[in-house]
Amino acid sequence: MSKFSLTIDAMGLARQIAALVTAGGQLHMKVTPHTVLNSGVKYLIELMGDSVVGVVGYELVRDNVSEIKHLCVHPSYRGRGLGKKLLSKAVIAAPTEYIFGLVRSNNEINIRNNLSVGMRPVGKKRAYGSYHLIVFAKKKTLERRAT
């Protein structure tokens, strides 16, 4: 069995996640290291050494519904498929049958990534500036466990 040891602690990771998520200034609220550590969001990260270069979160919002949120890739690492990889892993990791996420209508790459992992547009939410939010959703086929 392999063992792994990180050279960065939870607070260090939380600082990097918060910085990456808030860097674009696209959110209506600021994500802080404290909110990263204490919210119900579970984060999947992509590391290069001790640096977080990609992140996506998922959060249980109801018994059978999870929300995908905060998909971000550091600008220096874009164009390598990390966003699609992280989104795909979040869809798999979300523990519910139904998943959804919100994507800005001007974020063409994230729209393509959502479509490529089987998410489909099901609606839109109010406008923010010159764009609106597209609601992407998917019903997962959950594996049945033997009893």
Side-chain angles (χ1 to χ4, degrees):
M1 176 180 222
S2 297
K3 293 185 180 185
F4 298 93
S5 178
L6 293 175
T7 57
I8 187 168
D9 64 7
M11 182 54 83
L13 287 172
R15 278 189 198 103
Q16 290 188 54
I17 291 168
L20 186 57
V21 169
T22 59
Q26 304 289 334
L27 299 177
H28 64 278
M29 63 178 270
K30 185 175 180 181
V31 175
T32 67
H34 178 74
T35 58
V36 168
L37 292 173
N38 296 301
S39 73
V41 179
K42 307 287 186 200
Y43 289 97
L44 304 173
I45 59 173
E46 184 74 26
L47 292 171
M48 291 293 177
D50 285 345
S51 297
V52 176
V53 298
V55 64
V56 68
Y58 64 89
E59 181 175 28
L60 184 68
V61 294
R62 290 195 192 107
D63 287 342
N64 64 342
V65 180
S66 294
E67 180 179 4
I68 303 293
K69 45 181 40 177
H70 306 313
L71 176 61
C72 301
V73 175
H74 188 280
S76 299
Y77 292 88
R78 291 181 183 158
R80 301 179 187 190
L82 293 179
K84 180 179 175 182
K85 175 184 168 183
L86 285 164
L87 183 59
S88 178
K89 289 186 180 284
V91 167
I92 292 166
T96 57
E97 181 178 15
Y98 297 97
I99 52 175
F100 77 96
L102 303 174
V103 178
R104 291 185 329 270
S105 60
N106 61 354
N107 190 338
E108 295 176 22
I109 293 170
N110 203 2
I111 291 169
R112 281 196 307 269
N113 285 340
N114 272 266
L115 293 170
S116 74
V117 300
M119 303 281 282
R120 295 292 172 247
V122 297
K124 64 182 178 178
K125 294 189 79 155
R126 64 188 163 109
Y128 290 96
S130 62
Y131 62 88
H132 61 274
L133 298 172
I134 302 170
V135 181
F136 279 88
K138 178 177 182 169
K139 179 179 178 183
K140 294 179 9 177
T141 304
L142 300 178
E143 294 182 18
R144 295 176 191 238
R145 296 181 184 197
T147 55

